Amino acid sequence: MHLQKIIKFYNYLFSYNKKALTVYGQQKRLISMALTTAFLKRGYIMLTMQNGDIWIGQIIKRISPQEFAFRVDEQNRINLIKVKDVCRVDFP
């Protein structure tokens, strides 16, 4: 049920293209650049964490080069995100 809600929210925010989806992780420097870009643009992103969690929200603050504050929209809470814990970052 929870996964279906995330997929529905993803389809609403992101252009859903099955050919573009991947399960491969990204390099840490690319993740760091993507998180910085998301912070500067204040746009929505989808984070896939190393443990398999999927979060959709916004980067609201850069704490250090390796740590960011991330607001998860469906839960209305703020999480501390470390680059080493992120598997990949997807933009709309």
Side-chain angles (χ1 to χ4, degrees):
M1 179 79 176
H2 184 59
L3 182 60
Q4 292 174 349
K5 185 177 178 182
I6 290 173
I7 291 173
K8 187 176 181 181
F9 193 54
Y10 176 80
N11 288 336
Y12 176 74
L13 289 176
F14 297 83
S15 58
Y16 189 69
N17 183 358
K18 289 184 180 180
K19 293 178 183 176
L21 293 178
T22 180
V23 294
Y24 298 113
Q26 296 171 329
Q27 296 176 355
K28 299 303 175 198
R29 64 182 173 85
L30 296 178
I31 291 172
S32 182
M33 288 187 327
L35 291 174
T36 301
T37 302
F39 171 65
L40 294 174
K41 291 186 175 184
R42 299 286 182 181
Y44 282 88
I45 58 172
M46 183 176 81
L47 290 179
T48 305
M49 306 304 285
Q50 293 287 351
N51 62 2
D53 289 343
I54 298 172
W55 294 343
I56 297 174
Q58 294 175 303
I59 299 291
I60 58 172
K61 185 169 181 149
R62 183 177 182 179
I63 298 168
S64 73
Q66 299 297 315
E67 294 180 336
F68 295 85
F70 183 74
R71 185 177 67 217
V72 181
D73 277 346
E74 65 185 29
Q75 299 167 351
N76 271 342
R77 67 178 183 168
I78 297 173
N79 293 332
L80 179 65
I81 301 296
K82 295 182 180 180
V83 172
K84 68 176 184 168
D85 297 333
V86 177
C87 180
R88 66 177 291 111
V89 178
D90 294 303
F91 288 93

